[in-house]
Amino acid sequence: MKTSGKIILSTLHSLVFSLFFGYVALPEPPAADLRITYVGNAGYLLEADGRKILIDALLGSYQSQYVQLPREIQIRLENAESPFDNVNLVLATHVHHDHFGARSVGRYLLSDLKAQFVSTGQAVRRLATDLSDYSDVRSRIRAAEPQEGVTYEVANFGLQALNLHHGRYRKPPVENLGFVMRLGGWNVLHVGDTEITSEDLRIYSGSLGSIDVAMIPTWFLMGKGWESVQQWRSVIEAAVNPRYIVLIHLPLE
């Protein structure tokens, strides 16, 4: 008898909380198990069917009200020690320090010689500027720069990039990517720090396909931000319709 896969939640330090709740009734999930390990703030390690993805997990130093990694785990991460070894893709949604640290990414790429890095053009330019050994890793670094409203397939990576703006009128502008990550038959959407409206997101409703897990900021569901919870719930159901929701930007309190 074929059994359906399940989501397995794990954390790396003493924070204990429930991140998942079933969202809508959908057909049976993929057969492979999906393990999602919370790393800190908006960072996660995803594992399914022998494939691993790190997203928004290699950070710079920053002061924040959001959850951060203890230093000893940060060192393990940058050294590509278990469970952070043999990662296929390292992703960063944008260049803010609580999502991306150039030196942290550089140290990881020098530790895991098979990992590929994908992010915004701004992040790639930051790596080229900040890393003295950039030439050693640049062949594994790629910028995804989709036009707004258009989905962009990152060749051969099982990865779809979306231009989800981080404030349309922010000065200076901050490029922000949403990623649809495909592994083990699961489709996982991470939106980064987007300030899109429900109408902005609705543009993608016909091109995202089936989303099993949506990783979205806490303020989408807790009444903070530029649109009401009711508006966001309706557009998530209409444009994304995930099986599960995972919260990012988890506050310390």
Side-chain angles (χ1 to χ4, degrees), residues 69-84:
L69 268 182
R71 181 59 186 160
E72 62 272 17
I73 298 178
Q74 182 73 20
I75 293 171
R76 281 173 48 197
L77 170 58
E78 292 176 354
N79 289 338
E81 298 175 14
S82 181
F84 307 113

Side-chain angles (χ1 to χ4, degrees), residues 149-188:
V150 178
T151 59
Y152 176 86
E153 295 287 339
V154 183
N156 302 318
F157 286 3
L159 184 69
Q160 192 175 43
L162 315 174
N163 183 337
L164 305 180
H165 67 77
H166 196 331
R168 196 179 298 282
Y169 306 107
R170 182 187 286 265
K171 300 295 182 183
V174 177
E175 299 169 353
N176 181 82
L177 292 175
F179 287 110
V180 179
M181 300 163 281
R182 304 184 184 94
L183 65 172
W186 296 81
N187 292 330
V188 182

Side-chain angles (χ1 to χ4, degrees), residues 171-240:
K171 300 295 182 183
V174 177
E175 299 169 353
N176 181 82
L177 292 175
F179 287 110
V180 179
M181 300 163 281
R182 304 184 184 94
L183 65 172
W186 296 81
N187 292 330
V188 182
L189 170 67
H190 190 301
V191 301
D193 276 3
T194 183
E195 297 179 29
I196 58 173
T197 66
S198 55
E199 288 307 310
D200 291 331
L201 185 59
R202 204 181 302 273
I203 294 172
Y204 294 99
S205 61
S207 56
L208 289 181
S210 175
I211 298 297
D212 298 296
V213 180
M215 295 180 161
I216 61 175
T218 53
W219 54 81
F220 278 20
L221 299 179
M222 296 182 179
K224 296 179 181 179
W226 44 94
E227 291 196 342
S228 71
V229 170
Q230 290 77 18
Q231 285 174 295
W232 268 112
R233 185 178 181 94
S234 66
V235 77
I236 289 168
E237 290 173 346
V240 179

Side-chain angles (χ1 to χ4, degrees), residues 40-42 56 59-60 62 64 66 94 96-100 193 249:
N41 191 36
D56 280 3
L59 314 180
Y62 68 98
S64 175
Y66 300 108
H94 63 291
H96 284 164
H97 291 308
D98 55 344
H99 296 255
F100 165 81
D193 276 3
H249 264 303

Side-chain angles (χ1 to χ4, degrees), residues 12 26 53 69 89 108 117 119 160-161 169 180 212 242:
L12 294 164
L26 291 172
I53 297 176
L69 268 182
L89 278 175
Y108 186 86
F117 177 78
S119 188
Q160 192 175 43
Y169 306 107
V180 179
D212 298 296

Side-chain angles (χ1 to χ4, degrees), residues 49-177:
D49 202 20
R51 194 158 181 252
K52 291 184 179 182
I53 297 176
L54 273 171
I55 183 165
D56 280 3
L58 289 154
L59 314 180
S61 59
Y62 68 98
Q63 297 296 319
S64 175
Q65 61 180 316
Y66 300 108
V67 175
Q68 300 182 52
L69 268 182
R71 181 59 186 160
E72 62 272 17
I73 298 178
Q74 182 73 20
I75 293 171
R76 281 173 48 197
L77 170 58
E78 292 176 354
N79 289 338
E81 298 175 14
S82 181
F84 307 113
D85 54 335
N86 300 314
V87 166
N88 302 92
L89 278 175
V90 177
L91 308 176
T93 59
H94 63 291
V95 295
H96 284 164
H97 291 308
D98 55 344
H99 296 255
F100 165 81
R103 291 181 175 83
S104 185
V105 169
R107 284 190 286 268
Y108 186 86
L109 293 178
L110 290 170
S111 299
D112 187 335
L113 299 181
K114 293 183 179 180
Q116 304 282 328
F117 177 78
V118 181
S119 188
T120 64
Q122 288 178 337
V124 171
R125 290 188 290 274
R126 185 76 59 82
L127 289 171
T129 300
D130 290 0
L131 299 183
S132 59
D133 42 15
Y134 178 70
S135 61
D136 294 333
V137 297
R138 67 180 175 185
S139 64
R140 293 183 284 129
I141 292 173
R142 179 176 301 213
E145 300 181 282
Q147 297 179 0
E148 191 171 344
V150 178
T151 59
Y152 176 86
E153 295 287 339
V154 183
N156 302 318
F157 286 3
L159 184 69
Q160 192 175 43
L162 315 174
N163 183 337
L164 305 180
H165 67 77
H166 196 331
R168 196 179 298 282
Y169 306 107
R170 182 187 286 265
K171 300 295 182 183
V174 177
E175 299 169 353
N176 181 82
L177 292 175

